[in-house]
Amino acid sequence: MQSNDFQEEQSSNFDFKEIFFKYLSYFHWLVLGAIIGLTISFFYLRYATEYYQSSSVIKVLDNNNAGFKLPSDGFSFFAKSRINLENEIEVLKSSLLVGTVVDELDLQNTYYVSGMFKETDIGASAPFYIKWLGDASVTDELITTIKIHLKGNHFTINSLDDKFSFNKIYSYKGHNFSLHLKNNSQIRKDSDYIIKKSKKINVINNIRAQLSVTTVGEQSELLKIIVTSTNPQKSRDIANKLADVFNNDGINDRRMVYTKTIDFVNERFAFLFKELDSIETNKANYKKGQSLSDFTFDSQSLLMSKSGTKEELNQAKTQALLSEILIETLSKTSLNDLLPVNIGLQQVDVNALTSQYNQIVLQLQKISQTLGDNDPYIVQLKNSQKDLKTSLKSSLSTYRKMMQTRINEIEKISQNQTQQYAALPFQEKAIRSIDRQQEIKETLYIILLQKREEAAVNLAIINPSIKIIDYALAELIPISPKGNIIYLAGLVIGLTIPFLIIYIYLLLDTKIHTKSDIEKVLKNIPVIAEIPHITDDNKMVKYLDRSVLSESFRMLRTNLGFLVKENDDGLVLFSTSTIKGEGKTFVSMNLAITLSTLGKKVILVGADLRNPQLHKMLNIVRHKKGVTNFLHDTAASYKDMIESGSQYNLKFDIIFSGTIPPNPAELLSNGRFEMLLNELKSQYDYVIVDTAPTLLVTDTTLIANLADLVVYVIRANYTDKNLLNFINDLKKFNKVTNLGIVLNYVGEQKGYGYKYGYKYGYKYGYKYGYNYGYGYGYKADAVKTKRKKSILSKLKYWLKTFKK
């Protein structure tokens, strides 16, 4: 319960100033951690691989209505684009286009400048380039690294002594290569370079992983191409080249369609030439054999009546013939070939199906190089292609039958008209038949000629696939790693790690450090003095000394007067502690010295019979006579035990503890110790008794009732806080009544001793602080001067500690 109360008391009395000074004492470690963190960040930024990013913005153009076609109505100009941006993004990121970029920019070979700790990608700024000779399928799979050392007009490979010349073929690991200097390149002599040859598929996958294609906005039709690379020029070149390759790919697709149309028309021209020549030859032979001439004037009236019928008949037969030609072409064309479009058929459904069929063929040609034949998407496209082909055949057959029916109807009408002109010679009929065939062929010839010219013009003025909105630029500021973030992280981590270590150290620290630590638990027991930590070997107060140690014991002497009043008999002061090593003997000796400076008669008695320490303070050998001899021998006189302090340059007498007995508790309780104190009180003003620690043995509690005041010594940075509960128990059970605490060794750890140092450091220039100013009457200017010196001394101490 006491431990819990102590913890609750600590948590409720939070002192920010105390916590601040605790951490301030470790300020040099925080500074060191920050410097180390910033140093690590500096070297990380210096030798880490930097990544740069470049981006270009393009707009994909809609070329579905390109050419001489007019819009169907006045509002078609405002129609929404039919471009699927998601498909275009996938095309841009496809392995086919990226592979073309890799080939054109020679990205399989990466050029580095070799440094002491880092290899820097120099990209296209390398003064030379390498060519791998041989089968492309073999070189694309090659993975190797070559170290090039330039020496004037020669170079060496992998630190070998053999010199090689540029523009010549050499063999390396079974593969032939040649190294070529770039025009106007500046060669740094005795420079080391590294060429890393990678597999093409690996380079493609790497670029695709660092490639991002997104829309500029949700409603935007603009695409942003973002490329990340270890070289700013390389990322710029990849982004621009990818846009160029994508543009050329779309142009080539449309060029293929127009070229296929022109080739188809040229093939049909050759066939029509033969048919027209055959018709004209037959007509000439027939007229020559029948001795026929022109029947225009005789049949003018008939022709006028039949002109409308003939025109319909010719048009129907033309459409029937075109459908037969297209059916024949469709039967001979493989699945990978394009069909001719717009050859003159008036059937809109057939033309639409033909365009859809060609689009599927083009789409299959694009993605078949990237995806396998068994890919579900390709299988779906092929099934759609077959369905379109079947539908196209069915539509053409139906259209041909419809035209044939139309022809039959028109011919019936023509026969009726022919019967009306039965008087005309049959020869004229034959000639007309030949003329009709010739007219059909000529009409078909003119239609195909127009289509060829249209396709040729579109091929010559083919529109681009994209419009470049913004070209990619080489951004010289890397996107990763970011210097500000790395430095900030290094600073935060550098401060956090030592702070956490200090925090854990302080969290686990249960030692008493300051006066407030005592007052939080021992509320009814006063702290009558704080003795500073002294680094000098001599731990004794000197007479007429103005040191901070002497002043602290004068403060103790003064405070004792408030706890006990002088009387006719001398005062008995016990000096004890909880455990060994807290400095009770040190306090006893220096208190005796301080009291003796007042002209009082003082005697110091060594009552720690188990572990006497007074002789060590005086640097002498332990005496054989002392308190033990008096307690044991009833015939012994206390006067024989007293030694004059003058032989030790002291102004008080001393009784040493004497021989270490086997039964100190029994000796102290046999009554002779009380007799000794009574005799000493009658002759001395102050009897100071150095007793044993209270926690380890019962010696002190047996005789504590004989003391007018118990000076209880606690050592800062040594005594555990839980031991304060033991002192409370001594007070609670009246084992020790009149009690005053002396906090010894204050200031050993900076930050904990700020309160003590503030009290004592002003006058005497020690490094423990300033001064409360207990009535000394010093001037304000002197106070400021001493404070400045104290601050400077602290800074010098931190600097010395940091240098160590």
Side-chain angles (χ1 to χ4, degrees), residues 499-515:
F499 179 83
L500 289 177
I501 295 174
I502 295 170
Y503 173 76
I504 294 173
Y505 170 75
L506 296 177
L507 188 65
L508 300 177
D509 182 18
T510 60
K511 303 298 182 182
I512 297 172
H513 300 286
T514 62
K515 178 181 177 180

Side-chain angles (χ1 to χ4, degrees), residues 276 280 437-447:
L276 286 174
E280 291 175 353
Q437 292 180 9
Q438 184 178 7
E439 185 178 356
I440 291 172
K441 299 300 181 183
E442 289 176 351
T443 302
L444 181 60
Y445 179 83
I446 293 173
I447 292 175

Side-chain angles (χ1 to χ4, degrees), residues 72 191 232 247 296 402 436 468 480 485 524 534-535 625 641 648-649 667 675 691 735 746 748 798:
S72 57
S191 300
N247 181 46
T296 303
M402 183 179 65
R436 283 194 301 269
I468 302 295
S480 173
I485 296 177
N524 298 321
I534 303 300
T535 58
K625 289 185 178 182
M641 310 302 167
Y648 308 114
N649 296 321
L667 290 177
M675 184 188 304
T691 62
K735 293 181 179 181
V746 175
E748 181 182 11
W798 288 337

Side-chain angles (χ1 to χ4, degrees), residues 223-262:
L223 295 180
K224 187 174 186 179
I225 303 173
I226 304 173
V227 179
T228 304
S229 178
T230 56
N231 182 272
Q233 289 76 18
K234 182 185 290 185
S235 61
R236 175 201 63 192
D237 294 341
I238 292 175
N240 291 332
K241 179 58 69 174
L242 183 60
D244 184 55
V245 170
F246 178 74
N247 181 46
N248 292 334
D249 182 69
I251 292 175
N252 291 334
D253 288 343
R254 294 191 300 278
R255 183 178 286 117
M256 289 175 58
V257 173
Y258 296 136
T259 303
K260 186 67 178 178
T261 302
I262 293 173

Side-chain angles (χ1 to χ4, degrees), residues 574-635:
F574 277 14
S575 177
T576 188
S577 62
T578 306
I579 57 175
K580 177 184 175 181
E582 293 185 275
K584 60 180 182 55
T585 304
F586 163 75
V587 173
S588 301
M589 178 65 72
N590 287 294
L591 179 59
I593 295 173
T594 304
L595 292 172
S596 66
T597 60
L598 297 176
K600 304 290 184 179
K601 292 184 66 177
V602 180
I603 185 170
L604 177 60
V605 180
D608 189 355
L609 305 183
R610 300 174 187 267
N611 186 25
Q613 296 294 321
L614 285 178
H615 63 282
K616 292 184 178 180
M617 291 288 294
L618 299 174
N619 295 322
I620 60 175
V621 181
R622 187 171 61 206
H623 288 64
K624 295 182 180 179
K625 289 185 178 182
V627 175
T628 302
N629 304 90
F630 177 79
L631 297 178
H632 178 70
D633 188 359
T634 56

Side-chain angles (χ1 to χ4, degrees), residues 576-579 691-698 700-701 712 726 730 736:
T576 188
S577 62
T578 306
I579 57 175
T691 62
T694 57
L695 181 65
L696 304 178
V697 293
T698 62
T700 301
T701 56
Y712 208 100
F726 175 75
L730 292 178
V736 179

Side-chain angles (χ1 to χ4, degrees), residues 512 514-522 527 714 741 743:
I512 297 172
T514 62
K515 178 181 177 180
S516 62
D517 293 336
I518 300 174
E519 293 175 340
K520 291 176 182 177
V521 181
L522 305 180
V527 178
I714 296 175
I741 303 297
L743 182 60

